[in-house]
Amino acid sequence: MRPGELIFDGVEKNYKIRGMRSNRQETLKGLLFGRRQPKMPARDYPALKKIDFSVRPGEVVALIGPNGAGKSTLLKLAGGILKPTRGQVLREGRLTALIELGAGFHPEITGRENVVINGMLLGLSRKEVEARMEKIIDFAQIGDFIDFPVKTYSSGMYVRLGFSVAVAVEPDIMLIDEVLAVGDEAFTIRCMDHLARMRRRGVSMILVTHDLDLAAAFADRAVYLNDGLLQDDGPADSVVARYRSDVAGDLHDDVDARAPIRVIEEGRRWGNGEVEILSVEFRSGGRPARLIPSGEDCEIVINYRCHSPQRDFVFGIAWHSEDGTLIAGHNTDLDGLQTASLEGEGVVRCSYPEAPLAPGLYEIDIAVHTADGLAYDYWCRAASLKITAPVGLPGFWAPPHRWTSSGKIWK
Amino acid sequence: MRHLSLLWRHRALISVLTQRELAARYRASVLGFFWSLLNPLMVLAVYAVVFTTVFQPRFEGGRPYPLFLFAGLLPWMFFSGAILDAAITLVDNGPLLAKVMCPPELFPAVVVLSHLVHHLFALPVLIGAMWVASAWGWHVFPWTIFLLPLALIPWILVAAGGAAAISAMAVRLRDLRDLVNHFLNLLFFASPIIYSLEVQQMPGALIRVLKLNPMASLVTVYRDVVFTGKVPPLTQWALAYGFGVLAWILGSLVFSRLRDSLVEAV
């Protein structure tokens, strides 16, 4: 394994729930004199079931899902704080867990002393911590307070110092549990900036967050957990969209009885099916095309069928490169189209006068959903398109361009 | 043995955590570290007044009695203090265990070490008192006192083993601390601290029972060295070390048994 790699191999985690005594601390009295009848068997509560996934070095994975889905348990297993009931967790390299910032700061001793202890707990030697002390104090912006007992700190200072120590460790793998939600906005921005820099250096990250925009923007991949099961694992934006759709579906269930979201194709297509995407095709120059020269015109044609009339609908398209990077996204709502009614069968077209894409394979997600995200039909990688060019060009964008110079330096 | 190698690997962290423990205890007090010196001095003063002017003990184990008592009390205070603190250390340090990934073995070790430091701070008081007593002609200065480190090792072993076991068990059984408290009280009177097993003042049957207490050899060895001024017989050394090693092994076995369930329970 390479440093920064993390593998979950068939991991299961059960918590013991001890029958009637689950809410009380066990006591000797209970142990010695507790009534044995009625005997409540200790039950195992499965917090995670059969989790298989891996994080490659330098990859940022967002962990999303509702409360109680098992996200924190998964993170603690990744950090080695908890041991799996079955399966194994493999990891390589130095790991830092940002689970609770400043956890374990002792209130009576100074910030400086606490930094030394926390740094050593995170795996640095005393010398290493002291060498980084100035950087840590600078980043935390707490100035002279560093030599006062931690109990005199404001909660913001506490959190800032906790973050500064944790990132000073320069880990290969970083686990982050919703900690960026604390602290003032300026600090959150600096935290994000710092994490982005660490990411560029190739630090792998697992990020638990309820901020779906952050997950989609920051993570390469997302893992969607629900009820201890891995629901979806894939490019961050499509997994986030899937989760949003599930959440919206749950909300709708409360008010009216809509058809439930169902998975049409595992990890790739889901929706409640009230509007169905029949087919998606590319056209260029008025003819169907799977191969389009860079810079030519291009049109996406969506054939749909409506099982019941809808007034609330949005058609959306997301372009991805072959490695899953989101290149462009647009939908009818963002483009300001007002909905009237959708009935029966029909065709929706989105045309691009020119597609100045770099040569390569591109895939598109096509979706029909309500304005708040409930999916009628969400189809990831619904169609693919090959862009060709006389020469190979790197990147995604191949705009028309021209070189000039002051003198005649080219033949 | 994994237990021991783990402690050794994290020795720097243990020393820093011990410093934290000591610093935190005295940070907000005026006298600071002087308390480590002052506490035993107070104990000695109180015992001296009570047992010379208020009443005479029936089974006087040695003279002067306050010094005899002090020599037995000091290691006991180290041992019982460590055991009692061990019962709460893992719960107190729960955030470090559950949020930062800290090996739980460190905490009972830190408790024992910080109490050991207090004990070492009390030694000047003990030696000073012996010196004063010998200067006044009440007592002969115990030159065997240089054997003290050897007499202390079994105490450290027993305290470390006991602290490891108690700390892990107390995570699930929160009222263990009260039970331990009473047990220590019982053990205190069952150990030859306020009396001596060598001076034939008690019924023989009682002495035979009390000699079964494994702590007896530890108390005797320690007091022989720092008070009586004789080199303890080899059998006593063997008993003390034997029990020390046994207690340590048992303690770390109990700990390793419970280790994996600790984080979920704190």
Side-chain angles (χ1 to χ4, degrees):
Chain A
M1 288 177 77
R2 289 175 294 162
E5 201 167 352
L6 184 98
I7 297 172
F8 271 61
D9 178 16
V11 170
E12 292 179 37
K13 179 69 189 172
N14 296 338
Y15 287 119
K16 284 221 174 348
I17 297 182
R18 286 184 170 71
M20 291 173 68
R21 292 179 289 174
S22 61
N23 287 329
R24 274 188 287 158
Q25 283 302 336
E26 288 182 280
T27 61
L28 268 172
K29 178 182 152 249
L31 203 69
L32 296 173
F33 312 115
R35 278 182 296 154
R36 293 293 155 98
Q37 291 97 17
K39 194 169 179 183
M40 293 282 285
R43 274 184 310 130
D44 273 351
Y45 173 76
L48 285 178
K49 305 161 199 161
K50 271 270 174 235
I51 301 292
D52 283 291
F53 87 102
S54 60
V55 179
R56 288 192 303 274
E59 200 175 23
V60 177
V61 176
L63 216 53
I64 56 175
N67 288 326
K71 303 189 295 291
S72 292
T73 300
L74 193 145
L75 210 62
K76 285 184 175 175
L77 286 165
I81 296 168
L82 294 178
K83 299 264 176 299
T85 313
R86 266 180 289 281
Q88 54 178 342
V89 180
L90 303 168
R91 62 183 159 269
E92 187 67 45
R94 180 137 62 186
L95 181 144
T96 297
L98 285 183
I99 290 179
E100 189 184 304
L101 290 176
F105 277 174
H106 196 295
E108 294 288 347
I109 62 176
T110 67
R112 196 183 290 275
E113 290 163 323
N114 269 309
V115 165
V116 170
I117 291 170
N118 250 38
M120 289 177 71
L121 279 169
L122 293 170
L124 295 178
S125 75
R126 190 177 185 130
K127 277 211 181 79
E128 286 174 310
V129 182
E130 261 144 26
R132 293 163 203 210
M133 186 63 83
E134 285 315 309
K135 244 171 77 185
I136 293 171
I137 298 171
D138 270 2
F139 193 81
Q141 292 180 316
I142 58 172
D144 294 339
F145 267 95
I146 192 72
D147 288 314
F148 286 100
V150 163
K151 66 179 174 188
T152 62
Y153 286 22
S154 71
S155 53
M157 290 158 78
Y158 196 90
V159 166
R160 294 206 298 272
L161 193 60
F163 183 88
S164 309
V165 182
V167 296
V169 173
E170 291 173 16
D172 301 305
I173 307 174
M174 187 116 144
L175 311 176
I176 306 161
D177 190 357
E178 199 67 78
V179 289
L180 300 175
V182 294
D184 55 49
E185 202 183 332
F187 187 69
T188 307
I189 290 169
R190 283 201 306 135
C191 286
M192 282 313 300
D193 177 62
H194 198 90
L195 292 181
R197 280 165 204 279
M198 293 178 82
R199 179 190 171 165
R200 285 175 64 93
R201 278 207 308 270
V203 178
S204 323
M205 297 185 196
I206 301 185
L207 177 80
V208 168
T209 183
H210 287 286
D211 182 345
L212 296 177
D213 292 328
L214 175 78
F218 192 65
D220 303 307
R221 241 174 71 206
V223 168
Y224 168 23
L225 280 181
N226 198 2
D227 274 340
L229 279 169
L230 203 151
Q231 299 283 345
D232 205 356
D233 179 356
D237 47 333
S238 66
V239 175
V240 164
R242 159 89 189 274
Y243 174 52
R244 276 211 167 105
S245 163
D246 281 4
V247 171
D250 287 347
L251 291 178
H252 281 284
D253 280 348
D254 294 341
V255 276
D256 59 314
R258 293 215 189 191
I261 298 287
R262 59 200 162 81
V263 174
I264 301 162
E265 189 181 344
E266 187 55 53
R268 211 175 142 190
R269 192 171 177 188
W270 61 89
N272 69 8
E274 286 185 31
V275 182
E276 197 184 337
I277 299 167
L278 299 172
S279 66
V280 177
E281 63 175 11
F282 285 99
R283 297 176 76 88
S284 183
R287 282 197 307 276
R290 300 294 299 275
L291 212 70
I292 300 179
S294 179
E296 293 298 316
D297 74 291
C298 163
E299 190 175 55
I300 295 170
V301 181
I302 304 164
N303 291 294
Y304 66 84
R305 179 192 297 145
C306 228
H307 295 281
S308 57
Q310 301 295 339
R311 307 185 67 83
D312 178 9
F313 60 90
V314 177
F315 282 87
I317 296 170
W319 285 76
H320 296 276
S321 69
E322 207 171 354
D323 64 7
T325 307
L326 177 67
I327 295 165
H330 22 263
N331 67 36
T332 53
D333 189 42
L334 288 173
D335 290 334
L337 275 72
Q338 302 287 322
T339 60
S341 175
L342 191 68
E343 280 173 55
E345 286 189 20
V347 174
V348 169
R349 295 183 201 86
C350 180
S351 31
Y352 306 83
E354 52 190 31
L357 289 165
L361 188 72
Y362 295 86
E363 291 178 318
I364 53 167
D365 297 352
I366 300 293
V368 203
H369 52 80
T370 63
D372 59 6
L374 170 71
Y376 294 123
D377 193 349
Y378 200 114
W379 193 353
C380 291
R381 304 189 293 286
S384 64
L385 173 70
K386 187 128 181 125
I387 297 285
T388 59
V391 290
L393 295 168
F396 307 126
W397 188 36
H401 58 280
R402 196 159 61 93
W403 298 91
T404 55
S405 67
S406 53
K408 191 177 180 322
I409 59 173
W410 293 291
K411 281 197 266 184
Chain B
M1 286 315 93
R2 220 176 58 90
H3 194 108
L4 200 61
S5 72
L6 203 139
L7 290 180
W8 176 249
R9 190 145 41 88
H10 290 94
R11 59 192 181 279
L13 193 53
I14 291 178
S15 104
V16 173
L17 285 170
T18 308
Q19 284 169 28
R20 178 187 87 164
E21 200 76 20
L22 296 171
R25 174 165 306 188
Y26 293 120
R27 185 51 53 92
S29 67
V30 186
L31 293 174
F33 265 100
F34 275 103
W35 276 116
S36 288
L37 217 67
L38 219 56
N39 278 331
L41 205 60
M42 294 292 190
V43 172
L44 180 60
V46 168
Y47 280 114
V49 170
V50 168
F51 287 111
T52 52
T53 64
V54 182
F55 59 85
Q56 291 285 318
R58 215 173 123 210
F59 301 127
E60 200 167 283
R63 279 165 184 276
Y65 187 69
L67 272 189
F68 166 86
L69 191 58
F70 192 57
L73 266 177
L74 272 190
W76 181 264
M77 279 160 51
F78 155 62
F79 166 73
S80 60
I83 297 287
L84 277 180
D85 277 0
I88 46 171
T89 185
L90 288 183
V91 177
D92 277 359
N93 286 296
L96 284 182
L97 290 176
K99 308 280 162 69
V100 195
M101 293 177 283
C102 180
E105 283 86 350
L106 307 190
F107 295 108
V110 165
V111 165
V112 172
L113 265 183
S114 62
H115 279 271
L116 183 64
V117 171
H118 289 305
H119 183 72
L120 296 180
F121 270 103
L123 288 179
V125 177
L126 177 75
I127 295 169
M130 293 295 169
W131 183 77
V132 169
S134 62
W136 284 83
W138 295 331
H139 190 62
V140 181
F141 190 81
W143 289 106
T144 45
I145 209 159
F146 69 88
L147 289 173
L148 187 135
L150 288 180
L152 200 52
I153 288 172
W155 282 98
I156 298 171
L157 287 172
V158 175
I166 301 282
S167 67
M169 293 192 292
V171 168
R172 286 228 186 261
L173 306 170
R174 302 272 162 125
D175 55 356
L176 189 65
R177 189 168 199 262
D178 298 308
L179 192 82
V180 167
N181 201 357
H182 294 302
F183 175 73
L184 282 173
N185 238 329
L186 205 71
L187 195 62
F188 173 76
F189 288 107
S191 305
I193 294 168
I194 58 170
Y195 54 86
S196 165
L197 290 176
E198 280 146 29
V199 186
Q200 297 291 325
Q201 292 163 316
M202 283 185 288
L206 182 60
I207 288 190
R208 273 196 294 281
V209 171
L210 290 175
K211 275 191 170 168
L212 292 176
N213 171 11
M215 293 305 285
S217 59
L218 275 79
V219 178
T220 308
V221 165
Y222 190 94
R223 194 169 46 210
D224 278 358
V225 163
V226 304
F227 172 78
T228 320
K230 72 168 190 185
V231 179
L234 211 60
T235 49
Q236 288 293 320
W237 284 109
L239 274 174
Y241 270 83
F243 180 59
V245 171
L246 185 73
W248 197 85
I249 290 174
L250 282 179
S252 32
L253 275 181
V254 169
F255 192 92
S256 56
R257 257 294 172 73
L258 297 171
R259 187 182 196 273
D260 285 347
S261 67
L262 290 179
V263 177
E264 284 168 40
V266 293

